[in-house]
Amino acid sequence: MSTDRITRAQAAQATTERLIAAAHRAFAERGFAEVSLDALAAEAGVTRGALHHHFGNKAGLFEAVLRRIDAEIAAEMQAVWDAKADAWEGFRACFHVYLDAVLRPDRRRILFQDAPAVLGMKSVDILMESGFGDMVSDLQGLIANRRISAPDAEALGHLLNGASINLAFWAAEDPADQGRRDRAHAALAALFDGLTQAP
């Protein structure tokens, strides 16, 4: 009996994964408004009823894609953090990785065009709240170890979160390849240089 439950759970998870993968590709290529649920279900090899069962509606599926992208970006940042011997250098590097990660072509349209329209402020909350507690904890350690000069880790966390999200939106809207991505990286580097204290 438990084997049947595990098998059903595994099948449900496989269906969820196929739908999220198919939706990610479709939303990135065509945009939310142009994606048909029937076509998505067919591409994932499931019925439209299965799609509704797992996600409720197209907006629910879109939110699942957004959360998956957010988790992928977090994993990319964690890998960079783990590779750095110095905590402050790792922290700084993560923000640069984040900027490049959100501007990837397969993520850019989803994050910066469709997410605000489909989910409103909830989309920004998802992106800004992910890992926020860990970031504040890291900042507290960096302040305590005198690696950075800042009076309040939580306030600084909100400042850095807001700055990075706004820079990403600005870079994503680059109308004629004006080098906004490079300029955003330069601005981040200058901000971090201003916080840095000698080790």
Side-chain angles (χ1 to χ4, degrees):
M1 177 117 37
S2 63
T3 303
D4 289 342
R5 279 199 298 273
I6 292 169
T7 301
R8 273 191 233 102
Q10 289 172 335
Q13 184 61 35
T15 297
T16 298
E17 294 296 327
R18 286 198 310 274
L19 282 166
I20 290 174
H24 186 162
R25 286 191 299 272
F27 291 144
E29 291 168 7
R30 300 192 298 278
F32 179 83
E34 298 301 317
V35 171
S36 153
L37 288 184
D38 289 327
L40 272 181
E43 186 178 339
V46 303
T47 65
R48 183 166 172 161
L51 189 154
H52 284 291
H53 172 73
H54 287 281
F55 300 103
N57 55 29
K58 188 160 71 163
L61 178 55
F62 183 88
E63 181 177 338
V65 170
L66 180 66
R67 290 185 183 278
R68 175 61 56 83
I69 291 171
D70 185 58
E72 290 171 356
I73 293 169
E76 291 166 24
M77 292 168 66
Q78 187 64 49
V80 168
W81 173 269
D82 291 342
K84 295 283 186 180
D86 180 81
W88 178 227
E89 291 306 314
F91 187 91
R92 291 176 63 143
C94 283
F95 275 81
H96 290 285
V97 167
Y98 173 82
L99 188 59
D100 286 334
V102 297
L103 293 174
R104 256 179 39 182
D106 64 315
R107 295 171 174 164
R108 190 178 193 145
R109 180 176 195 159
I110 293 169
L111 295 174
F112 301 111
Q113 286 180 243
D114 287 340
V118 175
L119 299 174
M121 280 304 296
K122 184 177 186 180
S123 65
V124 177
D125 291 341
I126 289 169
L127 296 174
M128 290 190 72
E129 291 172 4
S130 177
F132 183 76
D134 290 337
M135 178 172 65
V136 170
S137 178
D138 293 337
L139 287 169
Q140 287 169 338
L142 291 164
I143 292 168
N145 292 324
R146 299 182 185 278
R147 292 305 316 279
I148 61 173
S149 174
D152 185 306
E154 185 177 7
L156 179 58
H158 281 289
L159 172 75
L160 294 175
N161 244 2
S164 59
I165 278 281
N166 277 300
L167 274 174
F169 268 98
W170 175 71
E173 293 170 353
D174 196 344
D177 193 22
Q178 297 172 357
R180 286 189 183 183
R181 181 195 299 250
D182 290 342
R183 292 160 65 195
H185 279 298
L188 273 179
L191 176 60
F192 288 133
D193 285 347
L195 294 168
T196 301
Q197 297 194 121

